[in-house]
Amino acid sequence: MKLAVILPLALVAFIGVARAEEADDIREASKAEAETFNARMYAGPPGSKAYACFVRRYDAAHLARHPKQKVASMKLLVSGETYEADMQLHNSFRIGFQYRHRTGDFDSSGSCHHTVLTKDGSEVRLGCGVDCEGGGLGIALSKDDKSAIVRLESIRVWLHKATEADDQALVAGSDDGIFRLERTDNSECAALAYDRKELAVLRHK
C-alpha cells in the first residue's frame, strides 16, 4: 500500500485519540524510529511474530480518587507479525476490560496499520483503529518501557465471546481518557487469544 493511502488511514484512526489542537504536531515516524519503537514494545527485535501484554487492575483507593472512572480493569495485548508479501511488521491490538458498575467482560480489537506516529517529536505512538469507523486509540510507552499509555476518546466494544452483534462503545470521560497499564507476562493476556495456537504461545513461559 502506498504511503499516500497508509498515512490518511493512520490519521483517521488517530483522530479519536488526539485533540484538535494537537493534530498538527503528528507526523509519520521514520523507518528507524518505527523499528526502535517496535523493539521497545516487544522488548527486543520482534522477528516474524511477537506479543506484548499490559495489565491494570484498579484498586479501591484509586477508584475512590477517580469517582467518574468507568473502567475497573483493563488488559492490552499488542501483536506484531511480519507478512511475507511486503516483509514489514504489521501491528494490531486487543483489549479486554471490566466496567466498574456493570457485569461482564468486554473486548475490542483492531489494526495499527504498521504506521507509528510521533507527537511533538517527543513521543512515539501506535495509531490503531477498529474496523467500520469503530473509533481508535493511541498506544505509547513509558520512558522505561515498563508501561503502556493508552489514549482514547471513543472505541467500539462488545461482550467477550459474544455470539450475536451487541456493539457498544467505551466513551472517554474525565477519568477514562488515559490508561497506564503495566507490562507483564504474556500469559496474563491469554484470555484475549484468537485460537488455540496463539493461546499456547501466550501461555508459554
Side-chain angles (χ1 to χ4, degrees):
M1 186 179 292
K2 294 182 179 179
L3 177 61
V5 177
I6 294 174
L7 187 54
L9 284 174
L11 289 173
V12 168
F14 203 80
I15 200 70
V17 296
R19 297 187 183 279
E21 62 267 22
E22 295 178 341
D24 291 339
D25 296 325
I26 297 171
R27 65 173 175 82
E28 185 186 22
S30 67
K31 181 179 179 180
E33 288 171 325
E35 290 177 349
T36 297
F37 182 80
N38 286 326
R40 293 174 58 204
M41 174 63 71
Y42 300 112
S48 60
K49 199 159 190 177
Y51 299 94
C53 176
F54 304 87
V55 175
R56 181 76 178 270
R57 299 176 180 87
Y58 295 96
D59 59 25
H62 175 94
L63 294 175
R65 293 193 302 270
H66 302 274
K68 295 182 179 180
Q69 181 171 323
K70 300 183 289 289
V71 172
S73 65
M74 181 177 285
K75 295 182 178 181
L76 168 69
L77 179 66
V78 182
S79 305
E81 182 173 5
T82 300
Y83 296 159
E84 292 184 4
D86 60 8
M87 295 307 296
Q88 295 188 54
L89 186 72
H90 295 251
N91 293 298
S92 61
F93 80 95
R94 276 165 265 169
I95 60 171
F97 70 96
Q98 293 179 325
Y99 282 109
R100 183 177 185 175
H101 298 303
R102 296 174 58 183
T103 59
D105 297 318
F106 291 82
D107 295 346
S108 188
S109 62
S111 60
C112 302
H113 312 292
H114 68 73
T115 298
V116 181
L117 303 177
T118 301
K119 169 183 168 294
D120 298 333
S122 61
E123 182 179 79
V124 182
R125 303 180 190 173
L126 288 178
C128 308
V130 180
D131 289 344
C132 302
E133 299 181 353
L137 52 79
I139 303 172
L141 290 169
S142 60
K143 291 183 178 180
D144 60 7
D145 299 339
K146 294 182 179 180
S147 304
I149 312 300
V150 179
R151 294 174 173 84
L152 64 87
E153 286 194 359
S154 177
I155 188 169
R156 181 184 297 125
V157 302
W158 47 85
L159 278 168
H160 184 59
K161 295 184 177 179
T163 57
E164 298 180 359
D166 66 338
D167 290 353
Q168 305 175 44
L170 172 59
V171 179
S174 58
D175 287 334
D176 289 287
I178 301 177
F179 300 92
R180 185 185 181 98
L181 314 179
E182 304 307 318
R183 188 188 293 272
T184 187
D185 190 88
N186 288 342
S187 61
E188 288 289 317
C189 288
L192 301 176
Y194 279 153
D195 53 45
R196 291 183 179 180
K197 183 177 180 180
E198 188 174 61
L199 179 63
V201 172
L202 292 174
R203 284 180 171 173
H204 179 71
K205 297 289 186 180

